Amino acid sequence: MEDKKTIMLVLGSGGHTKQMIILANMLGRDYNYEYVIAKDDLLSEKKIKIPGGVFRLYNPRKMTDKSRIITFFKAIISSFESISLLAKSKADIIIACGPGLAIPLSIIGKLFFRKKLIFIESWSRVYSKSLAGKFLYPISDISFVQWEQELENYPAAVFAGRFG
C-alpha cells in the first residue's frame, strides 16, 4: 500500500483561507495535510475541516503595512522561521493562493527543501498579478488561475475556474 502524499496549504486569512479550505475539501482525504497559519491569525485554524498538522509562522506582510523597509525585515524573520518549519514538515507539496505569508515559505521550500510548489492566483485577482504571483509563478511547478483574463499575465498557467 502506497503512503499518502502530504500537502502543505498556506492559509493567509479571510479569502485566502477560504480558498484553501475549499481546495482541501475538493481534494478530500486522499492526502495528509499540513496547514500554515500566521501567528496573529486567530480565526483560520477554526475553519479547518480535514485534520492535519498546524504550523504557525510570522506574517511578513499585513494589508495595513505601508513601509517596504519594515516588510523586508519582517520577511527575513519569516524566512528564518520558514527554515525551521520546513525542517519539521513532512509535506511533499506546498500549495499557496497568494498571501504574503506564502512568499518566503514557498521560495525556501522550493529552492532549499525541494518541495513541489503549486501556485494558485487568488480569485480576487482578475486582471493583475498579486505580489505572491510575481515571486511564486516563475518558480512554481504548476500555476493555476481562476479567471481566464489572468492567462494574459500568467501565460503558462492553467485556467481552473473559481473554487466553490
Side-chain angles (χ1 to χ4, degrees), residues 111-142:
L111 300 180
F112 298 106
F113 288 83
R114 301 194 179 273
K115 306 286 187 189
K116 295 290 183 189
L117 175 60
I118 298 174
F119 172 69
I120 303 168
E121 183 58 278
S122 175
W123 62 24
S124 66
R125 293 295 177 152
V126 181
Y127 300 104
S128 62
K129 287 184 177 183
S130 64
L131 182 63
K134 292 174 185 174
F135 282 99
L136 303 183
Y137 170 73
I139 65 168
S140 67
D141 292 285
I142 188 166

Side-chain angles (χ1 to χ4, degrees), residues 62 75 127 143:
K62 296 179 189 175
Y127 300 104
S143 295

Side-chain angles (χ1 to χ4, degrees), residues 126-129 137 145 148-157:
V126 181
Y127 300 104
S128 62
K129 287 184 177 183
Y137 170 73
V145 294
E148 277 189 277
Q149 298 90 320
E150 279 287 38
L151 289 171
E152 291 180 27
N153 293 315
Y154 301 104

Side-chain angles (χ1 to χ4, degrees), residues 83-102:
I83 293 167
S84 176
L85 183 156
L86 288 160
K88 297 173 194 166
S89 170
K90 293 178 175 54
D92 303 290
I93 303 162
I94 299 170
I95 303 178
C97 73
L101 180 69

Side-chain angles (χ1 to χ4, degrees), residues 9-122:
L9 298 175
V10 183
L11 310 182
S13 62
H16 296 297
T17 292
K18 183 168 184 160
Q19 289 172 82
M20 290 294 95
I21 297 300
I22 290 170
L23 179 63
N25 292 337
M26 289 169 60
L27 294 172
R29 297 184 184 270
D30 291 338
Y31 301 93
N32 294 317
Y33 293 94
E34 294 178 349
Y35 302 93
V36 178
I37 302 171
K39 287 182 177 180
D40 60 350
D41 181 347
L42 304 176
L43 300 174
S44 291
E45 189 170 358
K46 296 173 185 168
K47 297 177 182 183
I48 295 170
K49 294 180 181 149
I50 300 176
V54 174
F55 294 101
R56 294 278 180 172
L57 189 61
Y58 188 77
N59 192 355
R61 182 173 176 261
K62 296 179 189 175
M63 296 301 290
T64 56
D65 290 344
K66 302 296 179 207
S67 169
R68 289 184 179 162
I69 294 169
I70 298 294
T71 300
F72 173 77
F73 285 109
K74 287 167 66 176
I76 291 171
I77 295 167
S78 185
S79 295
F80 281 110
E81 286 190 355
S82 293
I83 293 167
S84 176
L85 183 156
L86 288 160
K88 297 173 194 166
S89 170
K90 293 178 175 54
D92 303 290
I93 303 162
I94 299 170
I95 303 178
C97 73
L101 180 69
I103 297 171
L105 175 74
S106 298
I107 292 171
I108 292 167
K110 175 70 179 168
L111 300 180
F112 298 106
F113 288 83
R114 301 194 179 273
K115 306 286 187 189
K116 295 290 183 189
L117 175 60
I118 298 174
F119 172 69
I120 303 168
E121 183 58 278
S122 175

